[in-house]
Amino acid sequence: MIVPHPTTTPPPTTAAPTAPTARAVRKAVVPAAGLGTRFLPATKATPKEMLPVVDKPAIQYVVEEAAAAGLDDVLMVTGRHKRAIEDHFDNAFELEQALAAKGDAIRLDAVRDPARLANIHHIRQGEPLGLGHAVLCARRHVGDQPFAVLLGDDLIDPRETLLSTMLDVRARYAGSVVALMEVPREQIRLYGCAAVEPTAEEGLVRVTGLVEKPSPDTAPSAYAVIGRYVLDPAVFDVLERTPPGRGGEIQLTDALQTLATTGTVHGVVFDGLRYDTGDKADYLRTVVRLACARDDLGPGFIAWLKEFAAGLEDGEGVRRRRTAA
């Protein structure tokens, strides 16, 4: 489904954010309009979200996470040249027929699974105006309901319950919820950063302010905002009034800063397994870690990794393995 992206003409800035609602969360928004320039030339004709992580595209892990948390309505905000994403989450009649004729039930299920995960919708972000604008593009679909936002560069291990925990916090406190992870101070410049104050619950903080990619010496904490949000629909009005910020883009962090001043933003501190596919080195580490965790691939792959790592200690060993390959 393609609908026009919303206007970002700001109304008067004196209006206060709408009071948070307490409705249950059923919808998820997955921004997937980025150009993937860090992975060129692989992403020249293939969306970065479709790069394989072992044997599934990265974006499928994200949709599986949303579905596992009970979010059965998923809107993907895409851009031009992202048709492959729509095709992946659609039925592939000819391929399914061919696999069925061969009696290949395992691969047939694997092909059918993406289309069965949730009710999946698509909208295009007409201009690359930032994450905040991508979220704003979802306004017509989301309406006045709370919703989750899941970024495709952050993969959360399927054994973790981060999103479910965030939904529980939202159900108890209303408002918006962000996922936080403590990072080395020198790395905070790569993230949105939260100023926080403790609550009576372990692992739950109140967010009092946010800043996008601060320098380490000015950052209010070492708590980075990672790519999971549960947002109150009040964020849409704030985004409409939010001018372009860092990089000339409309930053979701700036809108959440406005909401944080009203005391309606909480943070769930996450210390579990998170895989970053945002750059080449992290992407490779993600593939290796998830392959090692697989029952069907892990044992043999781990044994090979040990042998390969041992060979790295002397260049001759690496040369012999390269020749043998």
Side-chain angles (χ1 to χ4, degrees), residues 80-101:
R80 295 179 63 239
H81 310 303
K82 298 280 185 163
R83 184 61 183 268
I85 296 176
E86 298 179 27
D87 290 342
H88 181 72
F89 290 98
D90 199 357
N91 297 112
F93 178 76
E94 295 85 356
L95 179 57
E96 292 174 21
Q97 287 288 93
L99 293 171

Side-chain angles (χ1 to χ4, degrees), residues 214-247:
S215 63
D217 56 341
T218 62
S221 74
Y223 285 113
V225 181
I226 60 175
R228 297 295 180 270
Y229 309 81
V230 178
L231 301 178
D232 191 85
V235 75
F236 290 127
D237 287 337
V238 179
L239 284 169
E240 287 279 8
R241 303 192 301 271
T242 300
R246 188 180 180 92

Side-chain angles (χ1 to χ4, degrees), residues 276-325:
D276 188 348
T277 60
D279 64 34
K280 294 174 186 177
D282 285 333
Y283 170 78
L284 292 172
R285 284 189 281 266
T286 296
V287 173
V288 170
R289 287 170 177 168
L290 288 175
C292 289
R294 291 266 295 258
D295 291 337
D296 57 338
L297 297 174
F301 188 52
I302 291 170
W304 177 83
L305 278 176
K306 291 178 178 178
E307 180 184 359
F308 179 76
L312 293 178
E313 295 180 2
D314 75 297
E316 181 64 21
V318 174
R319 190 191 67 79
R320 286 197 304 270
R321 286 171 177 76
R322 185 181 297 125
T323 302

Side-chain angles (χ1 to χ4, degrees), residues 169-187:
V169 171
R170 156 70 201 189
R172 290 187 289 120
Y173 294 100
S176 297
V177 187
V178 299
L180 303 176
M181 175 173 275
E182 193 166 11
V183 300
R185 193 83 183 191
E186 63 273 14
Q187 294 181 14

Side-chain angles (χ1 to χ4, degrees), residues 29-263:
V29 174
V30 180
L35 297 176
T37 54
R38 284 179 288 183
F39 283 87
L40 286 170
T43 51
K44 178 181 177 180
T46 301
K48 68 172 183 176
E49 297 83 6
M50 291 298 296
L51 294 179
V53 178
V54 189
D55 56 1
K56 292 188 293 190
I59 198 168
Q60 184 171 334
Y61 289 87
V62 176
V63 177
E64 288 173 348
E65 180 188 351
L71 307 181
D72 56 8
D73 185 316
V74 177
L75 175 68
M76 296 189 181
V77 183
T78 64
R80 295 179 63 239
H81 310 303
K82 298 280 185 163
R83 184 61 183 268
I85 296 176
E86 298 179 27
D87 290 342
H88 181 72
F89 290 98
D90 199 357
N91 297 112
F93 178 76
E94 295 85 356
L95 179 57
E96 292 174 21
Q97 287 288 93
L99 293 171
K102 293 179 180 180
D104 193 340
I106 294 177
R107 289 186 176 87
L108 180 58
D109 278 342
V111 167
R112 287 175 171 170
D113 279 347
R116 299 187 294 202
L117 288 171
N119 295 318
I120 298 177
H121 313 267
H122 304 269
I123 185 175
R124 285 189 179 176
Q125 182 182 13
E127 302 174 76
L129 297 178
L131 176 58
H133 181 263
V135 171
L136 192 54
C137 288
R139 184 170 199 169
R140 183 177 298 181
H141 181 81
V142 171
D144 63 351
Q145 301 180 44
F147 61 105
V149 174
L150 296 85
L151 305 189
D153 286 349
D154 278 330
L155 304 188
I156 304 299
D157 192 282
R159 294 166 290 187
E160 303 288 354
T161 59
L162 171 61
L163 187 55
S164 295
T165 300
M166 295 174 69
L167 294 172
D168 176 65
V169 171
R170 156 70 201 189
R172 290 187 289 120
Y173 294 100
S176 297
V177 187
V178 299
L180 303 176
M181 175 173 275
E182 193 166 11
V183 300
R185 193 83 183 191
E186 63 273 14
Q187 294 181 14
I188 199 66
R189 61 182 178 80
L190 303 174
Y191 299 88
C193 177
V196 303
E197 59 184 28
T199 69
E201 293 186 43
E202 184 178 357
L204 181 66
V205 296
R206 187 179 299 279
V207 176
T208 59
L210 294 114
V211 59
E212 181 68 15
K213 297 181 179 178
S215 63
D217 56 341
T218 62
S221 74
Y223 285 113
V225 181
I226 60 175
R228 297 295 180 270
Y229 309 81
V230 178
L231 301 178
D232 191 85
V235 75
F236 290 127
D237 287 337
V238 179
L239 284 169
E240 287 279 8
R241 303 192 301 271
T242 300
R246 188 180 180 92
E249 298 181 338
I250 298 173
Q251 299 290 347
L252 180 59
T253 303
D254 293 342
L256 288 171
Q257 158 65 18
T258 299
L259 293 177
T261 62
T262 68

